[in-house]
Short mmCIF file of all heavy atoms in Angstrom, two decimals:
data_model
loop_
_atom_site.label_atom_id
_atom_site.label_comp_id
_atom_site.label_asym_id
_atom_site.label_seq_id
_atom_site.Cartn_x
_atom_site.Cartn_y
_atom_site.Cartn_z
N PRO A 54 19.93 6.08 4.48
CA PRO A 54 20.21 6.18 5.92
C PRO A 54 21.66 5.90 6.31
O PRO A 54 22.18 6.52 7.24
CB PRO A 54 19.26 5.14 6.52
CG PRO A 54 18.09 5.12 5.58
CD PRO A 54 18.71 5.29 4.22
N GLU A 55 22.32 4.99 5.61
CA GLU A 55 23.72 4.69 5.95
C GLU A 55 24.61 5.90 5.68
O GLU A 55 25.47 6.27 6.49
CB GLU A 55 24.21 3.48 5.14
CG GLU A 55 25.62 3.05 5.51
CD GLU A 55 26.14 1.88 4.68
OE1 GLU A 55 25.41 1.40 3.79
OE2 GLU A 55 27.28 1.46 4.93
N MET A 56 24.40 6.54 4.51
CA MET A 56 25.17 7.75 4.18
C MET A 56 24.89 8.86 5.20
O MET A 56 25.81 9.56 5.65
CB MET A 56 24.81 8.23 2.77
CG MET A 56 25.24 7.28 1.66
SD MET A 56 24.40 7.65 0.09
CE MET A 56 25.05 9.27 -0.30
N MET A 57 23.62 9.01 5.56
CA MET A 57 23.25 10.04 6.52
C MET A 57 23.87 9.78 7.88
O MET A 57 24.41 10.69 8.52
CB MET A 57 21.72 10.11 6.62
CG MET A 57 21.19 11.15 7.61
SD MET A 57 21.76 12.85 7.34
CE MET A 57 21.11 13.20 5.70
N LYS A 58 23.85 8.53 8.33
CA LYS A 58 24.43 8.20 9.64
C LYS A 58 25.93 8.47 9.67
O LYS A 58 26.47 9.03 10.64
CB LYS A 58 24.14 6.75 10.02
CG LYS A 58 24.61 6.41 11.45
CD LYS A 58 24.23 5.03 11.88
CE LYS A 58 24.54 4.80 13.35
NZ LYS A 58 25.76 5.39 13.86
N ASN A 59 26.63 8.08 8.61
CA ASN A 59 28.08 8.32 8.56
C ASN A 59 28.40 9.81 8.62
O ASN A 59 29.31 10.24 9.33
CB ASN A 59 28.67 7.71 7.29
CG ASN A 59 28.67 6.19 7.31
OD1 ASN A 59 28.62 5.58 8.39
ND2 ASN A 59 28.72 5.56 6.15
N ALA A 60 27.63 10.59 7.87
CA ALA A 60 27.88 12.04 7.84
C ALA A 60 27.53 12.70 9.17
O ALA A 60 28.27 13.59 9.65
CB ALA A 60 27.07 12.68 6.71
N THR A 61 26.43 12.29 9.78
CA THR A 61 26.03 12.89 11.06
C THR A 61 26.99 12.49 12.17
O THR A 61 27.35 13.31 13.01
CB THR A 61 24.59 12.49 11.44
OG1 THR A 61 24.46 11.07 11.40
CG2 THR A 61 23.57 13.09 10.51
N ASP A 62 27.40 11.23 12.17
CA ASP A 62 28.34 10.78 13.21
C ASP A 62 29.65 11.58 13.16
O ASP A 62 30.19 11.98 14.19
CB ASP A 62 28.65 9.29 13.06
CG ASP A 62 27.54 8.41 13.61
OD1 ASP A 62 26.58 8.96 14.20
OD2 ASP A 62 27.62 7.18 13.47
N LEU A 63 30.14 11.83 11.94
CA LEU A 63 31.40 12.58 11.80
C LEU A 63 31.23 14.01 12.30
O LEU A 63 32.03 14.50 13.11
CB LEU A 63 31.85 12.57 10.33
CG LEU A 63 33.12 13.39 10.04
CD1 LEU A 63 34.31 12.88 10.87
CD2 LEU A 63 33.44 13.36 8.56
N TYR A 64 30.19 14.70 11.81
CA TYR A 64 30.02 16.11 12.18
C TYR A 64 29.75 16.26 13.68
O TYR A 64 30.39 17.09 14.36
CB TYR A 64 28.91 16.77 11.37
CG TYR A 64 28.73 18.22 11.75
CD1 TYR A 64 29.78 19.13 11.59
CD2 TYR A 64 27.54 18.68 12.30
CE1 TYR A 64 29.64 20.47 11.96
CE2 TYR A 64 27.39 20.02 12.67
CZ TYR A 64 28.44 20.90 12.50
OH TYR A 64 28.30 22.22 12.87
N PHE A 65 28.83 15.47 14.20
CA PHE A 65 28.48 15.63 15.61
C PHE A 65 29.64 15.24 16.53
O PHE A 65 29.82 15.83 17.60
CB PHE A 65 27.22 14.83 15.95
CG PHE A 65 25.96 15.40 15.37
CD1 PHE A 65 25.01 14.59 14.75
CD2 PHE A 65 25.70 16.76 15.44
CE1 PHE A 65 23.85 15.11 14.22
CE2 PHE A 65 24.54 17.30 14.91
CZ PHE A 65 23.61 16.48 14.30
N SER A 66 30.45 14.24 16.13
CA SER A 66 31.59 13.85 16.97
C SER A 66 32.62 14.99 17.04
O SER A 66 33.26 15.20 18.06
CB SER A 66 32.25 12.57 16.43
OG SER A 66 32.94 12.81 15.21
N LEU A 67 32.74 15.75 15.94
CA LEU A 67 33.65 16.90 15.92
C LEU A 67 33.05 18.09 16.68
O LEU A 67 33.75 18.77 17.44
CB LEU A 67 33.95 17.30 14.47
CG LEU A 67 34.84 16.35 13.67
CD1 LEU A 67 34.75 16.63 12.18
CD2 LEU A 67 36.30 16.45 14.14
N LEU A 68 31.75 18.32 16.48
CA LEU A 68 31.09 19.45 17.15
C LEU A 68 31.08 19.29 18.67
O LEU A 68 31.12 20.28 19.40
CB LEU A 68 29.65 19.59 16.63
CG LEU A 68 28.85 20.79 17.14
CD1 LEU A 68 29.48 22.11 16.66
CD2 LEU A 68 27.39 20.70 16.69
N GLN A 69 31.05 18.05 19.13
CA GLN A 69 31.05 17.80 20.57
C GLN A 69 32.27 18.42 21.26
O GLN A 69 32.23 18.72 22.45
CB GLN A 69 31.05 16.28 20.85
CG GLN A 69 29.82 15.54 20.34
CD GLN A 69 28.66 15.59 21.33
OE1 GLN A 69 28.37 16.62 21.90
NE2 GLN A 69 28.02 14.46 21.52
N GLY A 70 33.36 18.61 20.52
CA GLY A 70 34.55 19.23 21.09
C GLY A 70 34.32 20.68 21.52
O GLY A 70 35.10 21.23 22.30
N PHE A 71 33.26 21.31 20.98
CA PHE A 71 32.90 22.67 21.39
C PHE A 71 31.95 22.67 22.58
O PHE A 71 31.59 23.73 23.08
CB PHE A 71 32.22 23.41 20.21
CG PHE A 71 33.18 23.96 19.20
CD1 PHE A 71 34.24 23.20 18.73
CD2 PHE A 71 33.02 25.24 18.72
CE1 PHE A 71 35.12 23.71 17.79
CE2 PHE A 71 33.90 25.77 17.77
CZ PHE A 71 34.96 25.00 17.32
N ILE A 72 31.51 21.48 22.99
CA ILE A 72 30.47 21.38 24.01
C ILE A 72 30.92 20.60 25.24
O ILE A 72 30.71 21.02 26.38
CB ILE A 72 29.20 20.70 23.41
CG1 ILE A 72 28.65 21.54 22.25
CG2 ILE A 72 28.14 20.50 24.49
CD1 ILE A 72 27.62 20.83 21.40
N LEU A 73 31.56 19.44 25.02
CA LEU A 73 31.89 18.54 26.12
C LEU A 73 33.21 18.92 26.79
O LEU A 73 34.14 19.39 26.14
CB LEU A 73 32.00 17.10 25.62
CG LEU A 73 30.74 16.49 24.98
CD1 LEU A 73 31.05 15.09 24.49
CD2 LEU A 73 29.58 16.47 25.96
N SER A 74 33.27 18.67 28.08
CA SER A 74 34.52 18.81 28.82
C SER A 74 35.34 17.55 28.60
O SER A 74 34.83 16.44 28.68
CB SER A 74 34.21 19.00 30.30
OG SER A 74 35.39 18.89 31.06
N LEU A 75 36.62 17.72 28.31
CA LEU A 75 37.47 16.56 28.01
C LEU A 75 37.81 15.72 29.24
O LEU A 75 38.17 14.56 29.13
CB LEU A 75 38.77 17.01 27.34
CG LEU A 75 38.64 17.63 25.94
CD1 LEU A 75 40.01 17.88 25.35
CD2 LEU A 75 37.84 16.75 25.01
N ASP A 76 37.68 16.33 30.43
CA ASP A 76 38.04 15.58 31.64
C ASP A 76 36.81 15.05 32.38
O ASP A 76 36.89 14.71 33.56
CB ASP A 76 38.87 16.46 32.58
CG ASP A 76 38.12 17.73 32.98
OD1 ASP A 76 36.94 17.88 32.59
OD2 ASP A 76 38.72 18.57 33.67
N ASP A 77 35.67 14.96 31.66
CA ASP A 77 34.43 14.43 32.22
C ASP A 77 33.92 15.23 33.42
O ASP A 77 33.11 14.74 34.21
CB ASP A 77 34.59 12.95 32.65
CG ASP A 77 34.81 12.04 31.46
OD1 ASP A 77 34.23 12.35 30.41
OD2 ASP A 77 35.56 11.06 31.59
N SER A 78 34.38 16.45 33.57
CA SER A 78 33.88 17.29 34.67
C SER A 78 32.61 18.00 34.18
O SER A 78 32.26 17.98 33.01
CB SER A 78 34.92 18.32 35.07
OG SER A 78 35.05 19.30 34.06
N SER A 79 31.95 18.64 35.10
CA SER A 79 30.72 19.37 34.74
C SER A 79 31.05 20.76 34.21
O SER A 79 30.15 21.52 33.86
CB SER A 79 29.82 19.48 35.97
OG SER A 79 30.52 20.13 37.02
N GLN A 80 32.31 21.07 34.16
CA GLN A 80 32.73 22.40 33.69
C GLN A 80 32.42 22.56 32.20
O GLN A 80 32.56 21.63 31.42
CB GLN A 80 34.22 22.59 33.95
CG GLN A 80 34.69 24.02 33.78
CD GLN A 80 36.15 24.19 34.18
OE1 GLN A 80 36.76 23.25 34.70
NE2 GLN A 80 36.72 25.36 33.93
N GLU A 81 31.99 23.76 31.84
CA GLU A 81 31.63 24.05 30.46
C GLU A 81 32.88 24.14 29.57
O GLU A 81 33.91 24.64 29.99
CB GLU A 81 30.90 25.39 30.44
CG GLU A 81 29.93 25.56 29.32
CD GLU A 81 29.04 26.76 29.59
OE1 GLU A 81 29.56 27.89 29.65
OE2 GLU A 81 27.82 26.56 29.75
N CYS A 82 32.76 23.66 28.34
CA CYS A 82 33.88 23.77 27.40
C CYS A 82 34.10 25.24 27.03
O CYS A 82 33.14 25.98 26.78
CB CYS A 82 33.60 22.96 26.13
SG CYS A 82 34.91 23.10 24.89
N LYS A 83 35.36 25.66 26.99
CA LYS A 83 35.67 27.07 26.74
C LYS A 83 35.30 27.52 25.33
O LYS A 83 35.21 28.72 25.06
CB LYS A 83 37.16 27.32 26.99
CG LYS A 83 38.10 26.66 25.98
CD LYS A 83 39.56 27.00 26.27
CE LYS A 83 40.49 26.44 25.20
NZ LYS A 83 41.91 26.77 25.47
N LEU A 84 35.07 26.55 24.41
CA LEU A 84 34.76 26.90 23.01
C LEU A 84 33.27 27.00 22.72
O LEU A 84 32.88 27.33 21.60
CB LEU A 84 35.38 25.85 22.07
CG LEU A 84 36.90 25.67 22.15
CD1 LEU A 84 37.35 24.59 21.17
CD2 LEU A 84 37.62 26.98 21.85
N ARG A 85 32.43 26.73 23.72
CA ARG A 85 30.99 26.65 23.45
C ARG A 85 30.43 27.91 22.80
O ARG A 85 29.56 27.85 21.94
CB ARG A 85 30.23 26.34 24.75
CG ARG A 85 28.72 26.33 24.56
CD ARG A 85 27.95 25.84 25.75
NE ARG A 85 26.52 26.07 25.56
CZ ARG A 85 25.58 25.74 26.44
NH1 ARG A 85 25.91 25.13 27.57
NH2 ARG A 85 24.31 26.00 26.20
N TYR A 86 30.92 29.08 23.21
CA TYR A 86 30.32 30.34 22.73
C TYR A 86 31.22 31.09 21.74
O TYR A 86 31.05 32.28 21.53
CB TYR A 86 30.01 31.25 23.94
CG TYR A 86 29.17 30.56 24.98
CD1 TYR A 86 29.71 30.18 26.20
CD2 TYR A 86 27.83 30.27 24.74
CE1 TYR A 86 28.95 29.53 27.16
CE2 TYR A 86 27.05 29.63 25.69
CZ TYR A 86 27.62 29.25 26.89
OH TYR A 86 26.85 28.60 27.84
N ILE A 87 32.13 30.39 21.10
CA ILE A 87 33.09 31.06 20.21
C ILE A 87 32.51 31.34 18.81
O ILE A 87 32.96 32.24 18.11
CB ILE A 87 34.38 30.19 20.08
CG1 ILE A 87 35.52 31.00 19.46
CG2 ILE A 87 34.12 28.93 19.30
CD1 ILE A 87 36.86 30.27 19.45
N GLN A 88 31.49 30.58 18.40
CA GLN A 88 30.98 30.68 17.02
C GLN A 88 29.49 31.01 17.01
O GLN A 88 28.72 30.47 17.80
CB GLN A 88 31.22 29.34 16.30
CG GLN A 88 30.66 29.27 14.89
CD GLN A 88 31.38 30.20 13.93
OE1 GLN A 88 32.59 30.13 13.79
NE2 GLN A 88 30.63 31.07 13.26
N ASN A 89 29.12 31.89 16.10
CA ASN A 89 27.70 32.24 15.93
C ASN A 89 27.05 31.32 14.89
O ASN A 89 27.66 31.02 13.86
CB ASN A 89 27.58 33.70 15.46
CG ASN A 89 26.19 34.23 15.65
OD1 ASN A 89 25.77 34.53 16.75
ND2 ASN A 89 25.45 34.35 14.56
N PHE A 90 25.83 30.86 15.18
CA PHE A 90 25.10 29.99 14.26
C PHE A 90 23.73 30.59 13.97
O PHE A 90 23.07 31.12 14.88
CB PHE A 90 24.92 28.59 14.87
CG PHE A 90 26.21 27.88 15.16
CD1 PHE A 90 26.77 27.92 16.43
CD2 PHE A 90 26.87 27.17 14.16
CE1 PHE A 90 27.97 27.27 16.70
CE2 PHE A 90 28.07 26.51 14.43
CZ PHE A 90 28.62 26.56 15.70
N LYS A 91 23.31 30.48 12.72
CA LYS A 91 22.00 31.02 12.30
C LYS A 91 21.16 29.91 11.66
O LYS A 91 21.63 29.23 10.75
CB LYS A 91 22.18 32.16 11.30
CG LYS A 91 22.80 33.41 11.89
CD LYS A 91 22.84 34.54 10.88
CE LYS A 91 23.93 34.34 9.84
NZ LYS A 91 24.01 35.48 8.91
N TRP A 92 19.92 29.78 12.15
CA TRP A 92 19.01 28.76 11.61
C TRP A 92 17.61 29.35 11.45
O TRP A 92 17.13 30.08 12.32
CB TRP A 92 18.92 27.56 12.55
CG TRP A 92 20.11 26.66 12.51
CD1 TRP A 92 21.25 26.73 13.27
CD2 TRP A 92 20.28 25.52 11.65
NE1 TRP A 92 22.11 25.71 12.95
CE2 TRP A 92 21.55 24.95 11.95
CE3 TRP A 92 19.51 24.93 10.66
CZ2 TRP A 92 22.04 23.82 11.31
CZ3 TRP A 92 19.99 23.81 10.00
CH2 TRP A 92 21.24 23.26 10.33
N THR A 93 16.96 29.01 10.34
CA THR A 93 15.55 29.38 10.17
C THR A 93 14.67 28.35 10.87
O THR A 93 15.15 27.35 11.40
CB THR A 93 15.16 29.43 8.68
OG1 THR A 93 15.28 28.10 8.13
CG2 THR A 93 16.02 30.39 7.90
N ASP A 94 13.36 28.61 10.84
CA ASP A 94 12.38 27.66 11.38
C ASP A 94 11.63 26.98 10.25
O ASP A 94 11.49 27.54 9.16
CB ASP A 94 11.36 28.40 12.27
CG ASP A 94 11.77 28.38 13.72
OD1 ASP A 94 13.00 28.42 13.95
OD2 ASP A 94 10.91 28.32 14.59
N THR A 95 11.13 25.80 10.52
CA THR A 95 10.37 25.09 9.48
C THR A 95 9.06 25.80 9.16
O THR A 95 8.55 25.69 8.05
CB THR A 95 10.05 23.65 9.93
OG1 THR A 95 9.35 23.69 11.18
CG2 THR A 95 11.30 22.82 10.10
N LEU A 96 8.50 26.53 10.13
CA LEU A 96 7.19 27.15 9.93
C LEU A 96 7.23 28.66 9.74
O LEU A 96 6.32 29.22 9.17
CB LEU A 96 6.27 26.85 11.14
CG LEU A 96 5.98 25.38 11.45
CD1 LEU A 96 5.05 25.29 12.66
CD2 LEU A 96 5.34 24.68 10.26
N GLN A 97 8.30 29.33 10.22
CA GLN A 97 8.24 30.78 10.32
C GLN A 97 9.15 31.54 9.36
O GLN A 97 9.79 32.52 9.72
CB GLN A 97 8.52 31.21 11.76
CG GLN A 97 7.45 30.75 12.72
CD GLN A 97 7.48 31.51 14.04
OE1 GLN A 97 7.93 32.64 14.13
NE2 GLN A 97 6.96 30.88 15.08
N GLY A 98 9.23 31.07 8.11
CA GLY A 98 9.90 31.86 7.07
C GLY A 98 11.42 31.80 7.11
O GLY A 98 12.02 30.93 7.71
N HIS A 99 12.03 32.79 6.42
CA HIS A 99 13.47 32.72 6.15
C HIS A 99 14.31 33.64 7.05
O HIS A 99 15.51 33.72 6.87
CB HIS A 99 13.74 33.08 4.69
CG HIS A 99 12.93 32.27 3.74
ND1 HIS A 99 12.71 30.92 3.92
CD2 HIS A 99 12.25 32.61 2.60
CE1 HIS A 99 11.95 30.46 2.93
NE2 HIS A 99 11.65 31.47 2.14
N VAL A 100 13.67 34.37 7.98
CA VAL A 100 14.45 35.19 8.89
C VAL A 100 14.97 34.29 10.00
O VAL A 100 14.20 33.66 10.71
CB VAL A 100 13.61 36.34 9.48
CG1 VAL A 100 14.44 37.15 10.49
CG2 VAL A 100 13.10 37.24 8.37
N PRO A 101 16.30 34.21 10.14
CA PRO A 101 16.85 33.20 11.06
C PRO A 101 16.85 33.62 12.52
O PRO A 101 16.77 34.80 12.85
CB PRO A 101 18.29 33.05 10.56
CG PRO A 101 18.63 34.40 10.01
CD PRO A 101 17.35 34.95 9.43
N ASN A 102 16.96 32.62 13.34
CA ASN A 102 17.22 32.81 14.76
C ASN A 102 18.73 32.58 14.92
O ASN A 102 19.26 31.60 14.41
CB ASN A 102 16.42 31.79 15.56
CG ASN A 102 16.56 31.98 17.06
OD1 ASN A 102 17.07 32.98 17.52
ND2 ASN A 102 16.09 31.00 17.82
N ALA A 103 19.43 33.49 15.59
CA ALA A 103 20.89 33.37 15.73
C ALA A 103 21.27 33.25 17.20
O ALA A 103 20.73 33.96 18.04
CB ALA A 103 21.57 34.58 15.11
N GLN A 104 22.17 32.31 17.47
CA GLN A 104 22.70 32.17 18.83
C GLN A 104 24.18 31.83 18.75
O GLN A 104 24.59 31.03 17.91
CB GLN A 104 21.96 31.07 19.61
CG GLN A 104 20.52 31.41 19.94
CD GLN A 104 19.90 30.42 20.91
OE1 GLN A 104 20.58 29.88 21.78
NE2 GLN A 104 18.61 30.19 20.77
#
Side-chain angles (χ1 to χ4, degrees):
E55 184 182 0
M56 293 164 65
M57 180 56 61
K58 186 175 188 322
N59 290 338
T61 53
D62 281 355
L63 177 59
Y64 180 61
F65 288 135
S66 71
L67 289 164
L68 185 65
Q69 297 275 44
F71 280 45
I72 299 167
L73 299 178
S74 169
L75 294 187
D76 58 5
D77 294 326
S78 71
S79 58
Q80 192 174 353
E81 207 166 64
C82 178
K83 69 178 185 179
L84 301 179
R85 176 171 171 180
Y86 306 108
I87 194 173
Q88 176 67 55
N89 196 74
F90 299 96
K91 291 185 285 183
W92 284 90
T93 64
D94 266 34
T95 56
L96 300 180
Q97 295 198 26
H99 307 319
V100 177
N102 184 12
Q104 291 190 33

